Every structure is written in C-alpha cells, then in structure tokens.
Amino acid sequence: MQQAQTLYEKLWSSHVVREEADGTALIYIDRHLVHEVTSPQAFEGLKLAGRTPWRTGSIVATADHNTPTDHWDEGIKDPVSRQQVETLDANIRAVGALAYFPFKDERQGIVHVIGPENGATLPGMTVVCGDSHTSTHGAFGCLAHGIGTSEVEHVLATQCLLQKRSKTLLISVDGTLAPGVSAKDVALAIIGHIGTAGGTGYAIEFGGSAIRGLSMEGRMTLCNMAIEAGARAGMVAVDEVTINYLKGRPYAPDGAAWDQAVAYWRTLHSDPGARFDKGVNIDAATIRPQVTWGTSPEMVTDLDGAVPDPAAVSDPVKREGMSRALAYMGLAAGTPIKRIAVDRVFIGSCTNSRIEDLRVAAEVARGRHKADSVKQVLVVPGSGLVKRQAEAEGLDKVFVAAGFEWREPGCSMCLAMNADRLEPGERCASTSNRNFEGRQGAGGRTHLVSPALAAAAAIAGHFADVGELN
Amino acid sequence: MRAFTQLDGLVAPLDRANVDTDAIIPKQFLKSIQRSGFGPNLFDEWRYLDQGAPGKDNAGRPLNPDFVLNQPRYAGAQILLTRDNFGCGSSREHAPWALDDYGFRALVGSSFADIFFNNCFKNGVLPICLPAEVIDRLFAACLATEGYRLSIDLAAQQVCEPDGTAHAFEVDPFRKECLLNGWDDIGLTLRHADEIRAFEAARKAAHPYYFR
C-alpha cells in the first residue's frame, strides 16, 4: 500500500521532471501568470540569449500594478508606468499567450483575481508568477508561489523551475468562527501567532473545519497571506466548494474532460495519517477581528485590544523593532485600537477585492456615510468582472451614496505604484496585505484589516465594531 | 552570471529585523525595465531625507546622516550584516539587483526570507546564514571596530573574522556549484530538454485539460 501523502507531496511528486542526488529537482510548471513589473527584464534576457518561450499556452498575462484606477479615457499619464505597460503589451503580442487581458480590457484586473475567476487556475497545477502573492492560487489545491524575475525567464525558457522540496506545515483551524470574523482575521491571527518568519522553508496547508467552511474567496484571502507568514506557498485541499466554484468558468474544462478532471481533483487532499513536519492548531472561536498596529503583519492585535508596550518585551532586537514601528506609526503604547483615527481607507488588493469582499463592505456602508474626518475611501474591485458583478448587484451605488469612491480595477493603493497613495503621515485602514514602512506611499501608515472593519473605520472615522456603528 | 569564489570585504551593519524588499527598493523604482541602475536608490526611504523618484538626480539629494550606509566608515562596504527574516515581503528581484548595484557581494545574517534568498543566488550575491549568537557577536565587533572586515570562502564554506575565528556555513551544493562557476541556470536546465519534453507529453496525455 502506498504511504499516506500530504497534499503538498502529491503536488510536488506529480511535477518532478528529474531529481538530482542532492534533492534539487526540476519541477514542471503548468501555469505562468505574467504582469508588467517583473517580466520586462525576463523577456529581454530571453531575447538577448536568442531563446524562445517553451509553451506560451501556459501564460496568462495582465497589466495591474501600474494601471490607474480612474480616468481610463486619459490612458496612463505617468510615462515610466506607461512604458512598462506598453512593454508588456509588446512582449505578449510578440510571443503569444493562452489569455491576455491588457489595460482597459473588460477582464483586466489583478493577476491573482483574474486567474481563478477565469478558471485559468485549476486544482493540481503548479502556478507561478513574478509576484509573492501567487500563494493565493493554492486555495484551489495548487502548488502556487511567487518567483523572481530570473525565474520568470527560466520558466519562459524551460517551462520548469529548479527547486528543493519544502518542509510541510499543517495549520488547522477548527471550530466555528464568530460572526463578523472573516478569512482576513484568520490570516492575521495566524501570522500574529507564528510570526512573519514562522512559515519560512515550509509549504503551508490550511485545514480544519473552519477552513473547510470558508468560501473560495475566503480561502484565497487566507492563502494570499501565506507569504506574510514566511511561506512561499499556502494551500487548501480540493472539496465540493472548489469544484462548484470552477464549473463553467471560461478556461475550466467541460464535458468529458470536466468529469475526468474532477475525478482527479477529488484526490487532491492530504491522506489520513499523512505526516507533516510541523503542525499548529488554532481554535476558530478564539479569533477576534484583527487590526495591525505596526510595520510588519505580525504586529497585530484584536480590535478590542490596545497598542502593546515595547518595554514589556525582553528581546532587545524585537523591542527596538517595536519602538521603531510605534515611532513610524505615530502611536503611543497602550492606546486602545478603537481610539485610532484614520485619514483614508482602501478596500481592494489581491487579498480582499473579490465580490464577496465588496458585498461585506457594502453591507456595512449601506445607508451610512463616511465620517467627515476621513479624506478618502477608495473601493477598487479586483477585476473588470468583479466590477461588473458588483454593479449588477448595485453595490457601486451603495458605496457612492456613502461617500466612497468606486474605481477601476488594479493593484492600486496596496503598493501605490500608480497615483493612488498615502501622503506622508497619513493613516489608512487597508484591506491589503502589507503594512511595511512606505508601502502605501512614502511616510504613509497602514493598518491591515478585513473589508468589514475597513468600511466600519470609514464610517466611524476610527477603528470600530460593525455592531457599534450608528 | 558573475561567479562568487572568495571575498574579503568591508562590513556594514544593518541592525534591524524583518527588513522587507519594499524598504530595500521602494516601489516607484520598479517601473524600470532594466536590470541595473538601482544602487543609488537602495534603501531609498531610509537613506535620503526627501522622496526619491525614477529619473531624479540622486547626487543632490539630502542624505539621512543617521542611516548606517551614509556613515563614511562604511563607504565601499561589500558585505551587509543583517538580522532575522531579511528580504521578507515582495518577490521583486529588484532587491538583490539594488544590493548588487550598490556594491554588496554577500549578506551575512541570522535568517533570510525564501524568495529573496533564492533571488540572490541568481545574481551572484551570496546570502550566508549564521547562528543568531554569532550574528550578535559580529554586530558588536563591527560597531566597535572601524574598518571591520570579514573574509568569505565559498568553496570552503567559511566566514572568517579578522582574528582568524572561522564560522562554517551551509550552502546548497547545487547553488554553490553554480555560484563558484558563474553558471546560468537556464543553460543547465536546457541540457535536459528531452526529459522536459517527455514529461510534458506524458502529462498532456494524462491531464489534457491543463493544456488547452
């Protein structure tokens, strides 16, 4: 009888082309997602070496990081951004792709939103992209992770990556999540628990009844932030939720091929008794809505909590890091989280810009209005398809009535490569994934939260319980 | 790729944990379509007092005198001493490109983030992991000693302090070989093109739905 395998081991072993004695393996890549920021040097390198792409049918490309989220009729004003987007255009048009959703295309959007929603991300695949949040696609029972530009070139040229097997970490979240606690809160609570390097060297599988109870959108949010826990790849086993999500999507198989695929996909779970290198158990009922207070995603606490005191920490490097974070964030130890006022709110990013996220935010905003003290509330859908779906449901009108701005899709203020950014010193409640110094604009201060808490902060002007809003 | 064999270099200490790739090279510089020229904007937000932008002349910008790399004693440093989880966050290879373009050839720290660690090897930059207590000692020695240098021997897998104290480090044999010889991964992989083709054909036969 075959030994019980983890999901990661099944995905890994089904992609090994060859393995050296030292464990370095050549891994076959099924899906290569490409965007404008990390690909130009790879295409250039390929050209200079006189090489051609191995299998352009594996490529799904879009422009997302640089693209503006308003005044699309005016094109991309920043000439440097425009050149990068035009370079992607020229490269993809020259080599071809399975799918290309250029700037302004109706299916354009954040690369980690468009892959799944078009059925281009399928269970059992290896999925890579020159973007660390490629871990998102692990929600479908894929082996998915970010790569650097040299590896983008390597995949273009060889359809493979050189890798070593990761260790395996099972994070089990069992029980029932309290009302108002979302996948984002689970992700932040996990990072708070294991730290931003807790998953380094591991591929994380998220399991347990609370994870099985999440929608695909929720699972994507969770796997998206595996990288914030230090793990390149996060994944969730395939179940009926996965299969139901994919049925009928444009690039998903149909007919007999669908039945054949589904039969295989149902095997993509860790076998009973499979051994993981490490395990972490979390009781779902203990997770409260989360808010980060510092400049690393592990600097996180409950909405009902307070900014911690560095003086209480004995490790000098950690203490110094906390003090520096509080100075950067302009926060005093002991400040209740709910007393922290925000200047701007950002609802979007590959973490939280899918239709479910927008529905939750709209529910909070419905019939209410943003606080006068809040300068701007940006709602940036993850893709053109998400945008149209939201508009069909009337969510855009709810947002606009609440004084929120309804924008075009893209990465936007998650990393502020386009015009959407914080000014120095401004404080933002953001549904994105990184609260690093300067991430949302030089000198900007980011607090990571769920869509519900972001919308609540927009209404109250400070962090607040949805249930406590007027 | 440039080979890495031995290095005797001046050390600069960056004494903070969780240094992310956004800090190493801020997003606005990622709009470049080149691989070079990122050095002047390495650690831009910490290094300068004003805001940097692509195309801006960096020569006239006000420097932050408190930032370690602006101290004259660390001018010309080739080895960066770092803390836990260096290079976390974004997968941008612009981070090792910027470190390399600035002049760093090796990083010595207690731990590195996975993707960044991997990206360094693709660019001839050697990241070396040593135990946290050794790193503590090196920080103390580097701060106490002007002109503090370390020598690194990749073939021997050793970092040597000026007094001769040697620290062994681990390195993946395949990566070591590539670095020592300056080998290009793609060329190596393409030697197995027939195997890749055979694998691909078998996978397509078993799972045609991945190949539409």
Side-chain angles (χ1 to χ4, degrees):
Chain A
M1 196 183 118
Q2 213 186 352
Q3 211 185 339
Q5 284 185 303
T6 63
L7 171 58
Y8 173 76
E9 284 159 353
K10 289 179 183 181
L11 293 170
W12 171 268
S13 60
S14 61
H15 288 87
V16 174
V17 174
R18 59 175 282 125
E19 194 161 356
E20 306 294 337
D22 76 343
T24 303
L26 208 52
I27 295 295
Y28 187 79
I29 301 303
D30 295 309
R31 178 67 68 236
H32 190 185
L33 305 168
V34 173
H35 67 77
E36 79 275 22
V37 178
T38 55
S39 66
Q41 296 88 347
F43 280 108
E44 178 75 8
L46 203 67
K47 217 178 298 172
L48 288 174
R51 292 171 175 140
T52 50
W54 183 282
R55 184 165 72 87
T56 53
S58 69
I59 298 173
V60 173
T62 195
D64 54 6
H65 284 59
N66 272 285
T67 54
T69 59
D70 59 354
H71 303 298
W72 269 14
D73 51 319
E74 295 171 17
I76 303 174
K77 286 183 214 154
D78 176 354
V80 197
S81 291
R82 193 170 62 238
Q83 185 194 28
Q84 203 167 48
V85 172
E86 286 171 354
T87 302
L88 176 73
D89 241 18
N91 284 331
I92 296 296
R93 294 203 194 285
V95 306
L98 172 71
Y100 178 41
F101 307 121
F103 175 48
K104 296 203 232 188
D105 186 278
E106 59 178 15
R107 285 198 273 171
Q108 181 263 354
I110 305 174
V111 70
H112 307 308
V113 175
I114 64 166
E117 75 181 1
N118 284 289
T121 299
L122 296 172
M125 277 182 163
T126 41
V127 180
V128 297
C129 177
D131 192 290
S132 59
H133 289 111
T134 309
S135 57
T136 309
H137 306 263
F140 290 83
C142 295
L143 178 53
H145 60 80
I147 55 178
T149 296
S150 293
E151 289 181 317
V152 171
E153 187 180 335
H154 195 279
V155 173
L156 284 172
T158 72
Q159 210 57 41
C160 289
L161 275 181
L162 283 162
Q163 287 207 320
K164 276 200 158 171
R165 191 188 286 248
S166 300
K167 292 178 284 182
T168 51
L169 166 58
L170 175 64
I171 297 182
S172 298
V173 187
D174 280 293
T176 308
L177 294 172
V181 173
S182 69
K184 181 63 163 288
D185 300 303
V186 176
L188 288 170
I190 288 171
I191 295 162
H193 184 74
I194 70 172
T196 49
T200 303
Y202 292 91
I204 298 179
E205 180 174 343
F206 298 101
S209 57
I211 305 301
R212 287 194 295 276
L214 292 174
S215 65
M216 285 317 296
E217 282 84 354
R219 295 176 190 185
M220 283 189 261
T221 299
L222 185 63
C223 290
N224 173 275
M225 292 194 72
I227 185 67
E228 268 63 62
R232 273 199 287 190
M235 62 195 74
V236 175
V238 174
D239 62 8
E240 293 312 304
V241 177
T242 326
I243 291 165
N244 290 337
Y245 177 97
L246 287 167
K247 193 159 180 58
R249 304 250 165 201
Y251 293 95
D254 54 13
W258 169 259
D259 296 336
Q260 186 199 351
V262 168
Y264 171 55
W265 294 345
R266 288 193 206 281
T267 68
L268 297 175
H269 54 78
S270 291
D271 297 326
R275 268 199 60 252
F276 288 80
D277 294 301
K278 199 162 107 177
V280 172
N281 293 299
I282 292 175
D283 176 1
T286 62
I287 301 174
R288 315 302 312 155
Q290 301 286 296
V291 182
T292 65
W293 51 264
T295 54
S296 165
E298 70 185 17
M299 295 175 170
V300 65
T301 190
D302 295 353
L303 171 65
D304 293 318
V307 176
D309 188 354
V313 173
S314 55
D315 173 4
V317 176
K318 192 170 178 196
R319 186 170 60 233
E320 179 54 30
M322 286 174 72
S323 299
R324 193 182 288 122
L326 291 188
Y328 181 86
M329 293 296 289
L331 291 173
T335 307
I337 296 295
K338 287 181 177 171
R339 294 264 295 276
I340 300 172
V342 301
D343 302 301
R344 293 183 201 258
V345 174
F346 172 60
I347 299 170
S349 86
C350 58
T351 314
N352 281 129
S353 64
R354 297 179 182 82
I355 189 65
E356 223 173 63
D357 302 315
L358 300 187
R359 284 177 190 145
V360 167
E363 230 19 74
V364 175
R366 192 180 297 277
R368 299 189 171 109
H369 198 273
K370 79 169 182 67
D372 289 342
S373 57
V374 175
K375 292 178 203 170
Q376 182 182 48
V377 184
L378 278 183
V379 187
V380 182
S383 71
L385 294 183
V386 171
K387 183 169 192 240
R388 278 212 304 285
Q389 175 68 30
E391 288 172 351
E393 295 177 20
L395 305 185
D396 57 322
K397 294 193 175 61
V398 174
F399 290 130
V400 170
F404 296 11
E405 295 177 30
W406 179 241
R407 293 293 189 92
E408 302 292 347
C411 299
S412 180
M413 211 204 273
C414 171
L415 88 167
M417 273 191 83
N418 69 358
D420 309 334
R421 67 186 66 156
L422 300 180
E423 294 300 318
E426 281 184 344
R427 190 180 299 286
C428 181
S430 178
T431 66
S432 56
N433 40 57
R434 290 186 176 136
N435 51 354
F436 300 152
E437 288 185 24
R439 171 79 179 184
Q440 295 192 291
R445 295 161 169 164
T446 303
H447 295 268
L448 303 176
V449 289
S450 67
L453 285 205
I459 304 298
H462 53 82
F463 294 107
D465 249 320
V466 174
E468 291 168 2
L469 296 174
N470 292 325
Chain B
M1 185 177 74
R2 188 188 57 228
F4 186 107
T5 51
Q6 290 178 316
L7 172 69
D8 176 79
L10 183 69
V11 182
L14 186 62
D15 197 2
R16 45 173 104 187
N18 297 314
V19 172
D20 58 79
T21 53
D22 272 84
I24 297 173
I25 183 80
K27 83 282 295 188
Q28 64 267 37
F29 305 106
L30 273 48
K31 295 177 184 182
S32 166
I33 56 170
Q34 313 294 325
R35 262 176 201 263
S36 57
F38 297 102
N41 301 107
L42 174 71
F43 298 120
D44 197 273
E45 286 180 19
W46 293 341
R47 197 162 143 199
Y48 300 99
L49 293 169
D50 66 347
Q51 274 188 43
K56 190 170 183 173
D57 178 16
N58 296 296
R61 295 176 58 197
L63 294 173
N64 173 7
D66 296 333
F67 184 58
V68 64
L69 294 187
N70 290 332
Q71 295 171 23
R73 62 185 278 195
Y74 299 121
Q78 290 183 292
I79 298 170
L80 188 66
L81 192 57
T82 66
R83 294 281 187 189
D84 273 350
N85 203 27
F86 186 86
C88 60
S90 157
S91 59
R92 59 189 69 170
E93 198 162 319
H94 311 66
W97 291 340
L99 288 159
D100 178 50
D101 198 58
Y102 181 90
F104 287 115
R105 296 288 172 264
L107 311 168
V108 178
S110 41
S111 67
F112 297 91
D114 274 347
I115 301 177
F116 172 81
F117 186 75
N118 196 36
N119 285 341
C120 284
F121 281 96
K122 311 285 181 192
N123 291 280
V125 174
L126 175 61
I128 296 173
C129 258
L130 292 176
E133 57 275 16
V134 175
I135 295 296
D136 277 344
R137 247 166 36 94
L138 296 183
F139 266 102
C142 184
L143 290 167
T145 320
E146 192 142 344
Y148 186 80
R149 302 175 77 84
L150 288 171
S151 70
I152 297 167
D153 184 337
L154 176 56
Q157 297 183 216
Q158 262 188 0
V159 177
C160 273
E161 296 187 52
D163 67 2
T165 310
H167 305 281
F169 64 87
E170 292 293 318
V171 59
D172 181 281
F174 177 77
R175 284 169 163 159
K176 176 179 172 179
E177 218 39 37
C178 288
L179 260 191
L180 284 173
N181 295 289
W183 283 339
D184 159 27
D185 278 1
I186 296 177
L188 292 178
T189 298
L190 285 175
R191 294 190 310 190
H192 307 299
D194 289 346
E195 277 174 83
I196 300 171
R197 266 189 286 272
F199 180 93
E200 191 170 55
R203 183 157 178 79
K204 194 169 177 177
H207 304 283
Y209 41 86
Y210 293 140
F211 290 82
R212 35 184 295 166

